Amino acid sequence: MISFVEKDALRQLPSIDQLLNHERGIELIDLYGHNASVQALRDSIREARNAILEGSVQSITSSEILSTAFKHLYQLTSPSLVPVINATGVVLHTNLGRSPISIGARNALAGSAYGYSNLEYDLESGKRGKRSELVQDMLSCISGAEAGFAVNNNAAGVLLAMAALSYQRQVIISRGQLVEIGGSFRVPDVMAQSGAELVEVGTTNRTYTRDYEAAITDKTAAILVAHHSNFQIVGFTTEPTIADLAQLAHSQGLVLVHDIGSGALIDTAQFGLAHEMMVQARLAAGADIV
């Protein structure tokens, strides 16, 4: 039951129009816009109504409701990303931004973001350019690849590669590489989204080159190798080398795609970290797309 005092307090709550026409309401709109202000005020009135019904307050003024709305919108519009200390022991931590940006890269980024830039403009020809070309030559030089392309993460790379090369065709992968990593990235799901048909071969712990060979049909477009990333299979295990799979793929006119997990371009062991697969080594071993 709602008491007389509560009913009276609820009746005294101001309307949205009254709050918007309040001096601080006008200031709220100037700072955050009409739609955001209305929503924040609705939320604040609902909180005030709940507080009255719970008995935690007997009455709430317009100024208090507006102050709550200001607080909500301030929190909403404040930067979501803040610096933290990484004390996890994991140097390249996905949840913490993966890796810090060097001072040189940070300064270059700030300089380009401050004003206009030639993001999609060819300064030599004076015509529209392509943003992917800004990194292509550098990636090719570093990795030894014929071309390079920047995407958000490995999942995006796999999705684009499979959609471009294997749409409505088959892609062969070992059952031991059907991984799920952070963010619910599952290889089978990415393959399905790309329109490619997944063909599993071998077993969880043992897959041979002959397993891949036996699965090749006239619908096969590619062989995909996925790095285990966040787990290990130890003991009675076997997997073909990239060189073996490259030889098989190329003899059958197929493309070999390798998701190496980290995308390392330098040897991490020199910094006292565990060795990571390097793009250069996988390309040199015969992978077509890394």
Side-chain angles (χ1 to χ4, degrees):
M1 295 290 292
I2 302 177
S3 68
F4 175 79
V5 174
E6 290 171 337
K7 287 182 180 180
D8 186 59
L10 291 173
R11 282 195 294 266
Q12 295 301 317
L13 289 175
S15 67
I16 296 292
D17 286 339
Q18 288 176 317
L19 292 169
L20 291 174
N21 290 313
H22 190 280
E23 181 180 353
R24 295 211 69 202
I26 296 172
E27 182 183 351
L28 190 71
I29 295 174
D30 287 340
L31 285 174
Y32 300 107
H34 182 271
N35 291 343
S37 297
V38 169
Q39 185 58 53
L41 289 172
R42 284 174 178 164
D43 293 341
S44 300
I45 290 174
R46 183 167 54 251
E47 290 178 19
R49 184 178 290 109
N50 291 338
I52 291 170
L53 292 174
E54 291 169 0
S56 55
V57 296
Q58 292 186 339
S59 64
I60 297 179
T61 65
S62 296
S63 295
E64 290 172 324
I65 293 174
L66 283 160
S67 294
T68 302
F70 268 101
K71 180 181 178 181
H72 286 331
L73 288 176
Y74 175 78
Q75 292 175 340
L76 179 66
T77 57
S78 296
S80 301
L81 296 175
V82 296
V84 299
I85 296 174
N86 180 5
T88 65
V90 180
V91 177
L92 300 181
H93 199 300
T94 303
N95 304 128
L96 301 181
R98 191 151 179 83
S99 60
I101 298 176
S102 69
I103 294 176
R106 186 174 62 194
N107 291 340
L109 178 63
S112 297
Y114 181 76
Y116 298 108
S117 67
N118 59 320
L119 178 63
E120 285 191 341
Y121 191 81
D122 189 325
L123 294 175
E124 293 186 5
S125 68
K127 298 179 180 179
R128 180 170 183 167
K130 295 181 179 180
R131 65 181 65 191
S132 59
E133 293 179 351
L134 296 175
V135 295
Q136 177 172 281
D137 291 343
M138 184 180 295
L139 287 174
S140 296
C141 178
I142 295 172
S143 67
E146 295 178 15
F149 194 79
V151 294
N152 185 57
N153 53 26
N154 280 29
V158 172
L159 178 65
L160 290 173
M162 295 299 98
L165 301 170
S166 312
Y167 180 71
Q168 294 187 341
R169 298 187 67 190
Q170 295 176 342
V171 178
I172 304 172
I173 186 172
S174 168
R175 287 187 173 89
Q177 296 171 5
L178 296 176
V179 299
E180 175 180 338
I181 60 174
S184 299
F185 160 49
R186 290 182 170 185
V187 168
D189 293 344
V190 174
M191 299 278 277
Q193 291 178 40
S194 72
E197 179 184 345
L198 179 67
V199 177
E200 305 172 21
V201 297
T203 63
T204 302
N205 61 318
R206 306 208 91 182
T207 305
Y208 302 91
T209 305
R210 63 177 180 266
D211 295 322
Y212 290 89
E213 186 174 9
I216 295 174
T217 69
D218 57 1
K219 289 187 63 179
T220 306
I223 293 175
L224 173 64
V225 178
H227 179 44
H228 295 152
S229 293
N230 56 359
F231 74 98
Q232 291 182 335
I233 300 176
V234 297
F236 193 58
T237 64
T238 299
E239 278 188 352
T241 65
I242 290 298
D244 289 340
L245 290 178
Q247 183 177 0
L248 172 63
H250 300 157
S251 70
Q252 300 293 324
L254 307 178
V255 177
L256 177 61
V257 181
H258 193 186
D259 174 0
I260 67 171
S262 69
L265 292 168
I266 58 174
D267 184 7
T268 52
Q270 65 181 303
F271 304 108
L273 304 174
H275 175 72
E276 290 285 345
M277 295 182 185
M278 291 176 59
V279 174
Q280 298 92 320
R282 299 296 136 168
L283 290 166
D288 298 296
I289 297 179
V290 176

